[in-house]
């Protein structure tokens, strides 16, 4: 079914796709915002048509980026109660329900970051050297909090090629007054001896406690493991994937070759192939602990977190109505 979508919704979807909105938490909140806008812009009074419309918007948003499960989880948090409700009498009533769910999600997400900061900063000791990869607001919240608590820490941030999200981390943490050093991705093995703790974010946590995050994360975990350096993941529980409970694989996003080499270079060498996966998978055995808003959990307890969040429905069609 082709439908016209409100320009604001199309714009948010485009921003997610083109990574002007990026990072699993931000993507999730943007999707909740887009759903609110779609609800506000709907003008009809036919409840069945409204159901089809919301299903269409939900599917459209979920397709923008494939890897971070925070996106379908946020969408299902907003739309599932609506699709499940059997006693809705009007579009007006449905509208209210969806708007409430969208703002509840955004509030939950913001509060979760504060809890993660609180729990995560307890792990940070005065004098620690902390290594992070890519740009994660969950990790940034922990570091900011540790600095506010007066801990004297040094942060090492990888560049995170090919898109250099490490520069975003550097800017963010400089603004927070951090002592921060930017390092090439390939320098980790020589720098790890100076590091006390690695803390990274997550796009998806699977039922068996593996963590999907920016490409290169698993290499850092392997190096940390070799040296027995603690490796933590900071993540909200809505990045745990109910889809993986029954073994559904996480789709790893492949991005454009032009992120790795210029169009001019590619044109000059038409036989050159480029591979540009955006994420990788770190096995649970390399992870010391996962810092969530509900506590510091061992990676092997991921399934328990999924049961806590989704109950016995974990893994069964998390998004309704599509
Ligand atoms: C971002 C990335 C981040 C996670 C967690 O990848 O891998 O580590 O999304 O971030 P991209 P947050 O730049 O490709 O979106 O803690 O902010 O949700």
């Amino acid at each position: 079914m082709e439908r016209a979508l409100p320009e604001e919704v199309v714009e948010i979807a485009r921003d997610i796709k083109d990574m002007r909105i990026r990072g699993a938490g931000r993507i999730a909140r943007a999707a909740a915002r887009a759903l609110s806008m779609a609800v506000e812009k709907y003008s009809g009074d036919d409840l069945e048509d409204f159901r089809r419309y919301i299903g269409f918007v939900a599917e459209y948003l979920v397709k923008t980026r494939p890897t971070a499960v925070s996106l379908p989880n946020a969408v299902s948090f907003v739309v599932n109660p609506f699709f499940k409700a059997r006693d809705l009498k009007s579009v007006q009533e449905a509208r209210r329900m969806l708007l409430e769910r969208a703002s509840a999600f955004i509030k939950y997400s913001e509060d979760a970051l504060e809890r993660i900061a609180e729990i995560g900063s307890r792990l940070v000791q005065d004098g620690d050297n902390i290594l992070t990869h890519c740009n994660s607001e969950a990790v940034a919240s922990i570091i900011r909090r540790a600095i506010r608590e007066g801990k004297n820490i040094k942060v090492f941030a990888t560049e995170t090629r090919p898109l250099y999200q490490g520069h975003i981390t550097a800017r963010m943490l400089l603004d927070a007054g951090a002592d921060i050093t930017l390092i090439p991705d390939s320098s980790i093995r020589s720098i790890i001896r100076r590091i006390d703790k690695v803390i990274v974010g997550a796009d998806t946590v699977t039922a068996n406690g593996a963590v999907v995050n920016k490409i290169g994360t698993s290499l850092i975990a392997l190096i940390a493991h070799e040296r027995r350096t603690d490796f933590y993941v900071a993540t909200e529980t809505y990045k745990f994937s109910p889809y993986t409970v029954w073994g559904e694989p996480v789709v790893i996003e492949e991005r454009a070759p032009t992120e790795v080499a210029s169009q001019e270079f590619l044109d000059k060498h038409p036989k050159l192939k480029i591979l540009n996966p955006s994420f990788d998978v770190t096995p649970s055995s390399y992870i010391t602990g996962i810092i969530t808003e509900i506590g510091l959990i061992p990676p092997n307890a991921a399934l328990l977190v999924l049961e806590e969040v989704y109950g016995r429905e974990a893994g069964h069609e998390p998004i309704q109505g599509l």
Side-chain angles (χ1 to χ4, degrees):
M1 177 187 48
E2 268 310 311
R3 298 194 74 124
L5 289 174
E7 188 43 42
E8 294 84 343
V9 175
V10 174
E11 206 168 294
I12 292 180
R14 207 183 296 134
D15 284 350
I16 295 175
K17 210 176 219 147
D18 298 342
M19 293 180 65
R20 280 182 293 278
I21 298 175
R22 48 145 301 283
R26 284 197 182 85
I27 290 171
R29 289 196 298 278
R33 250 193 348 266
L35 280 163
S36 290
M37 284 173 183
V39 168
E40 274 160 7
K41 297 280 164 183
Y42 183 82
S43 56
D45 56 10
D46 176 345
L47 195 51
E48 263 327 295
D49 180 65
F50 187 59
R51 274 206 179 89
R52 283 193 297 273
Y53 167 75
I54 292 300
F56 181 75
V57 175
E59 190 172 14
Y60 173 75
L61 289 170
V62 165
K63 280 185 179 156
T64 50
R65 282 192 83 186
T67 302
V69 77
S70 54
L71 175 59
N73 280 351
V75 169
S76 58
F77 180 93
V78 177
V79 304
N80 276 8
F82 161 64
F83 283 114
K84 279 188 196 154
R86 291 281 152 255
D87 52 352
L88 286 172
K89 286 180 192 62
S90 65
V91 169
Q92 207 38 38
E93 213 181 314
R95 208 195 282 274
R96 218 173 307 126
M97 177 183 223
L98 284 160
L99 290 176
E100 268 171 32
R101 291 294 287 184
S103 47
F105 179 81
I106 292 169
K107 177 154 187 354
Y108 185 90
S109 169
E110 288 165 353
D111 290 350
L113 280 175
E114 281 188 29
R115 271 301 283 159
I116 288 170
E118 205 180 311
I119 294 167
S121 66
R122 285 183 212 144
L123 298 168
V124 177
Q125 308 295 317
D126 192 39
D128 268 356
N129 287 349
I130 293 170
L131 170 67
T132 191
H133 184 51
C134 195
N135 174 254
S136 154
E137 51 174 4
V139 175
S141 74
I142 293 172
I143 290 168
R144 277 201 206 95
R145 169 100 186 205
I147 293 171
R148 270 208 316 275
E149 286 169 352
K151 288 171 187 160
N152 184 15
I153 55 174
K154 286 191 170 63
V155 180
F156 292 77
T158 57
E159 289 180 298
T160 318
R161 288 178 184 227
L163 291 183
Y164 297 97
Q165 286 94 329
H167 291 198
I168 307 174
T169 300
R171 271 200 307 273
M172 230 179 199
L173 294 181
L174 281 172
D175 286 350
D179 175 329
I180 179 149
T181 308
L182 198 59
I183 57 169
D185 298 333
S186 47
S187 67
I188 303 289
R189 198 158 183 262
S190 67
I191 284 172
I192 196 78
R193 63 196 158 78
R194 304 211 217 158
I195 301 297
D196 299 294
K197 284 172 189 98
V198 181
I199 315 180
V200 297
D203 285 85
T204 292
V205 180
T206 68
N208 63 3
V211 167
V212 183
N213 191 51
K214 181 55 55 197
I215 192 80
T217 301
S218 69
L219 203 54
I220 299 174
L222 180 66
I223 292 166
H225 181 76
E226 179 191 47
R227 211 179 155 88
R228 302 204 192 296
T229 303
D230 282 341
F231 183 97
Y232 290 101
V233 176
T235 176
E236 303 85 336
T237 53
Y238 58 78
K239 294 175 192 158
F240 285 63
S241 170
Y243 302 91
T244 59
V245 171
W246 304 105
E248 195 173 308
V250 177
V251 175
I252 301 293
E253 181 177 9
E254 286 275 343
R255 295 195 57 90
T258 46
E259 289 182 357
V260 179
S262 69
Q263 191 58 58
E264 195 191 358
F265 189 81
L266 294 172
D267 290 343
K268 239 189 243 162
H269 307 284
K271 286 197 173 150
L272 178 67
K273 291 181 234 158
I274 304 273
L275 211 51
N276 185 20
S278 199
F279 300 95
D280 65 19
V281 183
T282 299
S284 62
S285 52
Y286 292 172
I287 299 168
T288 313
I290 304 183
I291 306 158
T292 76
E293 75 279 16
I294 59 171
L296 174 64
I297 66 144
N300 291 343
L303 194 55
L304 293 179
V305 172
L306 279 161
E307 273 175 17
E308 172 84 18
V309 177
Y310 295 95
R312 292 187 57 207
E313 281 178 38
H316 293 292
E317 307 275 354
I319 304 182
Q320 313 268 317
L322 297 190

